[in-house]
Amino acid sequence: MTSLPKITPASTPVPLTRSRTCSLPQPIRRSHTSVSVYGPYPPANLSNQWDYIQTPARINPIGPLLPRKRINDSWETIPQHYHNDCRRILMQQREHERYHSAWSKAFYGNPAERESYNKHFREVLKQQMTDQDLWKRRHQVDKVQESERAVEYDRQCLQKDSEDQNNKFSYLKRFRDDNKMLMEKQWDLLKQKRTVENLYDREIMRYNPINWSCTLK
C-alpha cells in the first residue's frame, strides 16, 4: 500500500537568525539642523543612537499568503508572534533608553554632555522669552489698532449724527417756510376774494339799494 506524502502546514515566512533574535536594521542618521526647538522631548542631540533605529514592521499572525486568500486561523504560527513580541520589546527599550539617556546626562554625564544639556534648555528658554516678547508686541499693536479703529468709528458716528441733525433741521426749516408761504398765499387769495366781493356788492348797491344778497349789514 502506497502512503501519501505528508503535507506541511503553510506559514508566513519570517527572517530569523540562528540565535532566535529579531533582525534589527542599521541605524539611519538624520540631521539636527531641521529639528525644531519646541520638538518632542528629549531632542535628538541629547539622546543616543537608539533614537535612530527603525522599528521593524508588524506581521499579521493570521495574514493571508500570496496569492491573497481568505484569512484562516490555521496559518497562525509561533514565528510571527515571536517577531511581534521582539518588536514590542525593542520599542519599549528604545523609548526607555531615549528618555533615560537624555535626563541622566545632567547628573551622570561628563562636563561636555552637561554643557550640551544646559545649552539646550538655555536655548529653549531664550526662544520662549523671544516668542513671549514677540507675542506681547503683537498684542500691543493689535490693541493700539483696535483703539484707533474704535476712535475712528466713534468719530464717524458723531459726524454722521451731526450731519443727520443738520439735514433734519434743514428739512424742518424748509417745511416751515413752505407751509408759511402756502398760508400767506391762501390769506392773500382770501383777501383778494373779499375785496372783489365787496366791490361787487357796492356796485349792486348803487343800482339797487335793497341788499338782496345780505352781504352788507
Side-chain angles (χ1 to χ4, degrees), residues 23-110:
S23 57
L24 302 178
Q26 295 296 329
I28 299 177
R29 294 291 179 178
R30 61 185 178 184
S31 176
H32 303 298
T33 56
S34 61
V35 179
S36 175
V37 179
Y38 297 115
Y41 180 84
N45 56 347
L46 295 181
S47 59
N48 57 9
Q49 62 180 358
W50 281 77
D51 190 25
Y52 307 104
I53 295 179
Q54 284 185 337
T55 304
R58 185 180 181 277
I59 296 178
N60 187 6
I62 58 174
L65 302 176
L66 296 177
R68 189 175 182 84
K69 301 179 182 179
R70 293 186 61 183
I71 296 177
N72 191 349
D73 57 354
S74 64
W75 294 339
E76 185 174 359
T77 55
I78 296 177
Q80 288 90 332
H81 287 288
Y82 180 74
H83 175 84
N84 293 334
D85 191 57
C86 290
R87 176 179 177 273
R88 176 184 60 82
I89 295 175
L90 174 63
M91 294 174 64
Q92 292 178 351
Q93 291 177 350
R94 185 190 64 178
E95 290 299 315
H96 173 77
E97 184 66 21
R98 189 167 68 91
Y99 278 91
H100 180 77
S101 62
W103 67 262
S104 61
K105 290 180 180 180
F107 302 96
Y108 308 108
N110 52 38

Side-chain angles (χ1 to χ4, degrees), residues 179-190:
N179 194 15
K180 182 179 179 181
M181 291 176 60
L182 180 61
M183 293 175 64
E184 291 177 351
K185 186 176 181 180
Q186 290 179 354
W187 291 342
D188 292 339
L189 292 176
L190 183 60

Side-chain angles (χ1 to χ4, degrees), residues 54-210:
Q54 284 185 337
T55 304
R58 185 180 181 277
I59 296 178
N60 187 6
I62 58 174
L65 302 176
L66 296 177
R68 189 175 182 84
K69 301 179 182 179
R70 293 186 61 183
I71 296 177
N72 191 349
D73 57 354
S74 64
W75 294 339
E76 185 174 359
T77 55
I78 296 177
Q80 288 90 332
H81 287 288
Y82 180 74
H83 175 84
N84 293 334
D85 191 57
C86 290
R87 176 179 177 273
R88 176 184 60 82
I89 295 175
L90 174 63
M91 294 174 64
Q92 292 178 351
Q93 291 177 350
R94 185 190 64 178
E95 290 299 315
H96 173 77
E97 184 66 21
R98 189 167 68 91
Y99 278 91
H100 180 77
S101 62
W103 67 262
S104 61
K105 290 180 180 180
F107 302 96
Y108 308 108
N110 52 38
E113 292 177 346
R114 293 183 181 180
E115 179 61 25
S116 176
Y117 186 86
N118 296 331
K119 179 182 178 182
H120 168 71
F121 284 96
R122 286 197 303 268
E123 291 178 353
V124 173
L125 181 59
K126 289 192 295 184
Q127 185 65 33
Q128 290 178 351
M129 295 172 63
T130 303
D131 295 343
Q132 184 71 10
D133 183 68
L134 181 61
W135 179 84
K136 289 182 179 180
R137 290 176 182 271
R138 291 180 179 177
H139 184 63
Q140 184 67 21
V141 171
D142 294 340
K143 289 175 61 177
V144 172
Q145 293 179 354
E146 183 180 3
S147 300
E148 292 178 352
R149 289 194 297 268
V151 171
E152 180 64 20
Y153 178 74
D154 185 66
R155 186 189 65 80
Q156 293 178 359
C157 290
L158 293 177
Q159 183 178 1
K160 186 176 182 301
D161 293 341
S162 178
E163 293 177 355
D164 293 342
Q165 186 176 2
N166 293 333
N167 294 333
K168 182 179 180 181
F169 176 78
S170 300
Y171 171 76
L172 294 177
K173 183 178 180 181
R174 289 196 305 270
F175 182 82
R176 182 202 63 183
D177 295 341
D178 294 342
N179 194 15
K180 182 179 179 181
M181 291 176 60
L182 180 61
M183 293 175 64
E184 291 177 351
K185 186 176 181 180
Q186 290 179 354
W187 291 342
D188 292 339
L189 292 176
L190 183 60
K191 184 178 181 180
Q192 293 177 4
K193 183 179 179 181
R194 287 181 179 179
T195 303
V196 171
E197 289 179 353
N198 291 334
L199 290 176
Y200 178 75
D201 290 339
R202 292 180 185 279
E203 290 294 329
I204 291 178
M205 288 295 296
R206 288 177 58 187
Y207 298 101
N208 188 6
I210 301 175

